[in-house]
């Protein structure tokens, strides 16, 4: 199977919200009976509610089919009968829950890791640069109104 470049939509930024230009463009272009391939269910959102909502918009409102590449059970082309829809909905709900739960676990592990690093004395961020020798002189002259902020910064 070959997909033309014009039919591939990829956002480079975080998927933490749906303020993603390429995703919005994709949704606008979708027409009934189109087929959407997505890599993973968590590409539809970061939490259970978001994923469920996007799935509903795409399948019910846009009336498209979706194939989730890393989860073959989520293929709306198969099972258009009531049982197929029911099974697809159950799998979607379970996977949406798992995706949100994993994000929560990642955040918790990250928070614990940062706290442990701080307890060991690890400092985050760039080390402070030493102030230039004439800093205090330039600062005092700026504060007194003798020179502008730009002139003080140049000094």
């Amino acid at each position: 199977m070959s997909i033309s470049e014009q039919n591939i939509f990829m956002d480079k930024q975080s998927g933490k919200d749906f303020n993603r230009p390429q995703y919005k463009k994709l949704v606008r272009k979708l027409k009934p009976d189109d087929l959407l391939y997505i890599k993973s269910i968590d590409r539809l959102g970061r939490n259970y509610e978001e994923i469920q909502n996007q799935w509903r918009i795409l399948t019910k409102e846009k009336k498209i089919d979706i194939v989730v590449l890393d989860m073959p059970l989520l293929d709306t082309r198969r099972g258009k009968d009531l049982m197929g829809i029911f099974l697809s909905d159950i799998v979607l709900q379970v996977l949406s829950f798992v995706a949100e739960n994993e994000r929560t676990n990642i955040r918790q592990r990250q928070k614990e890791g940062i706290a442990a690093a701080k307890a060991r004395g690890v400092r985050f961020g760039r080390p402070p640069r030493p102030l230039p020798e004439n800093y205090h002189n330039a600062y005092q002259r700026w504060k007194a109104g003798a020179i502008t902020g730009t002139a003080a910064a140049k000094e």
Side-chain angles (χ1 to χ4, degrees), residues 9-28 30 36 38 40-58 66 92 96 99 103:
F9 297 84
M10 186 171 28
D11 280 305
K12 302 274 188 211
Q13 72 230 39
S14 166
K16 72 177 174 169
D17 56 36
F18 275 86
N19 224 357
R20 299 181 293 175
Q22 289 296 304
Y23 182 80
K24 287 179 177 180
K25 185 176 175 185
L26 162 74
V27 172
R28 277 195 309 273
L30 291 170
L36 172 64
I38 60 172
S40 177
I41 193 66
D42 64 358
R43 300 297 87 207
L44 286 181
R46 292 296 178 106
N47 62 48
Y48 180 85
E49 190 176 323
E50 244 177 30
I51 293 169
Q52 296 289 321
N53 188 43
Q54 290 303 309
W55 187 272
R56 183 190 52 74
I57 289 169
L58 295 170
I66 301 174
L92 175 65
S96 300
R103 288 216 44 81

Side-chain angles (χ1 to χ4, degrees), residues 129-147 152-153 155:
R129 289 178 61 189
L131 295 174
E133 287 180 25
N134 65 339
Y135 171 81
H136 294 293
N137 181 27
Y139 174 74
Q140 291 303 326
R141 290 180 33 226
W142 166 78
K143 194 169 181 178
I147 59 173
E155 281 186 26

Side-chain angles (χ1 to χ4, degrees), residues 100-137:
E100 180 171 357
N101 197 45
E102 181 58 22
R103 288 216 44 81
T104 301
N105 289 340
I106 288 169
R107 280 194 300 272
Q108 181 61 33
R109 287 190 300 265
Q110 182 182 37
K111 187 177 171 183
E112 289 167 1
I114 290 169
K118 284 183 176 179
R120 289 191 317 267
V122 174
R123 292 192 54 182
F124 290 86
R126 184 176 73 190
R129 289 178 61 189
L131 295 174
E133 287 180 25
N134 65 339
Y135 171 81
H136 294 293
N137 181 27

Side-chain angles (χ1 to χ4, degrees), residues 74-91:
L74 284 176
D75 183 343
T76 62
R77 297 172 301 176
R78 286 190 255 126
K80 294 284 188 183
D81 61 350
L82 188 58
M83 181 58 81
I85 292 168
F86 173 71
L87 290 173
S88 197
D89 283 350
I90 288 175
V91 170

